[in-house]
């Protein structure tokens, strides 16, 4: 008997940002699979089994979940934010495609969640109010030249740019290079947002500019949003309180 | 006495995709403001006033909401999907910036929602599993040359491309031109998803290819996702069942 597998988005952290659909599926699962700190966000239920793993083990975790589903379990793989944006859903589909033939017969559903970019944008206003690009500048799973090509295209296209996973101990210089590349296309006064651990204990938001942005302020829990030429600040008492990108836009030549 | 204003994302349509935070704020509001079909998704509560408006009146609606908050009301402006992605939050901040001085003193919060792109992606797999761009090809509020510039940049950067508001009766030819532009950079076999009214009555999903995509199948309720060179189909019995973009990527020269 083949079971079911749901890949469930927990949102950015706060319980009140988990959808009822996600909560219901988590409550009904026989087995929960995920990175330990994300599993810890899910309320305990008697009889439910938890399979916690380390952060780096995405493909192994996906295969474990598929094995459990093959054995007839009702499995929920938990993911922070939205499972489809730089998260677990990609790993599960890779495992299905490359793995055992029977895995294609498992009933797989993806349950969307509030992604980190939507939560971070909401905290400061509406910086994603117009065309934007979402990029992971990590070169763990792609060549650095592809990162540069995409940053260049996004900067040349005058998109608002969202950076997921902007920095880690193993990638200390990449973010600085990304800022320098974008600064060749945009004014130093362009708004930049560092959003750290949004909706979690330790949430911290910095609104700065491209000219002032310090890559050392980012780590693996930070999401960065870099404005387009149209992105604006609304200040009160000399301090920026909102950042937004208007719905209308003009063609700006570099 | 100045009131409060929340801009609340209702998600794509299904009640079980509205976050508890959004539901709580909607229940506590004295006044709800929004496009009539979105207001109709919110459960009625005794004593709560509703201010329904037409779809085109975004800025007027924002100003009305700010006036109500200035008068001491607790106002919720409702938005489909996420309020910060081509939706009401941008209009509210425009109104605050251009409007009466006192509007900057209103306590404004943005409550994120499951955006249409996340809901659509979840339905078919994980097409947004790697770097992507989000573009409105509408030339209502920006010049068509800027749309072309951004489509060109997104296509050249080998991004997955999400198109919001791809077509309407007033914009009959733009989507075809967008497809032709992208096809100069990508194979005809590139997966394309037409997602119509996701999680609502009348939901319809078409998985096709860039070579076969028919612009006439899109309207104002459709969201389109066009794969990158890495986006893949998983088929079963000859039919595509999942679309995903792997977490790893290679540099592809055109």
């Amino acid at each position: 008997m083949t079971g079911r597998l749901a890949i469930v988005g927990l949102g950015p952290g706060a319980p009140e940002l988990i959808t009822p659909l996600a909560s219901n599926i988590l409550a009904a699962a026989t087995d929960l699979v995920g990175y330990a700190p994300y599993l810890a966000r899910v309320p305990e239920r008697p009889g439910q089994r938890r399979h916690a793993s380390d952060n780096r083990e995405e493909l192994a975790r996906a295969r474990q979940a598929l094995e459990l589903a093959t054995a007839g379990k009702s499995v929920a793989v938990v993911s922070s934010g939205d499972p489809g944006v730089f998260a677990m859903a990609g790993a599960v589909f890779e495992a299905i495609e490359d793995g055992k033939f029977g895995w294609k017969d498992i009933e797989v559903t993806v349950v969307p969640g509030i992604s980190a970019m939507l939560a971070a944008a909401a905290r400061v206003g509406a910086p994603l109010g117009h065309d934007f690009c979402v990029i992971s500048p990590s070169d763990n799973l792609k060549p650095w030249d592809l990162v540069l090509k995409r940053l260049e295209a996004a900067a040349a296209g005058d998109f608002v740019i969202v950076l997921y996973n902007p920095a880690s101990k193993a990638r200390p210089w990449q973010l600085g290079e990304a800022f320098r590349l974008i600064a060749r296309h945009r004014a130093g006064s362009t708004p930049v947002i560092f959003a750290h651990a949004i909706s979690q204990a330790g949430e911290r938001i910095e609104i700065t500019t491209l000219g002032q942005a310090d890559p050392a302020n980012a780590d693996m829990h930070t999401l960065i949003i870099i404005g387009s030429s149209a992105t604006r600040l609304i200040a009160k008492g000399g301090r920026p309180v909102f950042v937004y990108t208007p719905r209308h836009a003009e063609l700006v030549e570099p």
Side-chain angles (χ1 to χ4, degrees), chain A:
Chain A
M1 192 197 76
T2 296
R4 287 189 303 266
L5 192 156
I7 314 159
V8 180
L10 298 178
E16 60 191 350
L17 289 175
I18 302 179
T19 66
L21 179 60
S23 293
N24 293 343
I25 288 177
L26 291 169
T30 59
D31 291 72
L32 301 182
V33 174
Y35 177 44
Y38 301 155
L39 280 181
R41 291 193 203 159
V42 182
E44 300 260 4
R45 289 184 86 88
Q48 200 174 46
R49 290 184 64 201
R50 286 166 180 250
H51 311 265
S53 55
D54 193 74
N55 196 18
R56 295 259 168 180
E57 302 298 329
E58 292 188 337
L59 210 52
R61 190 188 304 149
R63 290 185 183 125
Q64 179 188 26
L66 289 160
E67 291 289 2
L68 287 163
T70 302
K73 305 293 185 185
S74 181
V75 184
V77 175
V78 300
S79 199
S80 189
D82 180 86
V85 177
F86 302 115
M88 275 306 294
V92 171
F93 289 109
E94 277 173 56
I96 291 173
E97 193 180 21
D98 299 335
K100 299 183 186 176
F101 181 75
W103 285 355
K104 289 187 188 172
D105 292 325
I106 296 170
E107 184 189 321
V108 176
T109 54
V110 180
V111 181
I114 302 290
S115 57
M117 65 182 167
L118 299 184
R123 274 289 197 268
V124 296
L128 307 182
H130 212 312
D131 306 334
F132 61 96
C133 289
V134 184
I135 301 174
S136 168
S138 167
D139 55 353
N140 285 344
L141 295 169
K142 64 186 164 193
W144 179 242
D145 281 352
L146 178 59
V147 177
L148 291 178
K149 173 180 165 168
R150 287 186 173 156
L151 288 169
E152 185 74 35
D158 196 18
F159 285 95
V160 175
I161 299 173
V162 181
L163 300 180
Y164 269 76
N165 313 313
S168 71
K169 281 177 189 161
R171 293 182 285 113
W173 54 266
Q174 283 86 339
L175 180 59
E177 192 162 327
F179 282 150
R180 282 189 291 278
L181 183 157
I182 296 166
R184 290 198 287 274
H185 296 266
R186 292 201 193 160
S189 59
T190 303
V192 172
I193 300 144
F194 284 65
H196 187 87
I198 293 297
S199 95
Q200 299 166 44
E203 171 175 317
R204 198 173 67 241
I205 293 172
E206 181 193 0
I207 300 176
T208 181
T209 63
L210 191 53
Q212 300 281 322
D214 181 356
N217 289 343
D219 65 19
M220 59 178 286
H221 301 291
T222 310
L223 180 129
I224 294 175
I225 301 176
I226 301 155
S228 73
S229 66
T231 305
R232 308 172 56 75
L233 299 176
I234 299 179
K236 202 168 76 177
R239 280 187 52 239
V241 284
F242 297 119
V243 186
Y244 83 100
T245 306
R247 301 164 305 146
H248 50 84
E250 299 303 326
L251 185 64
V252 175
E253 295 300 339

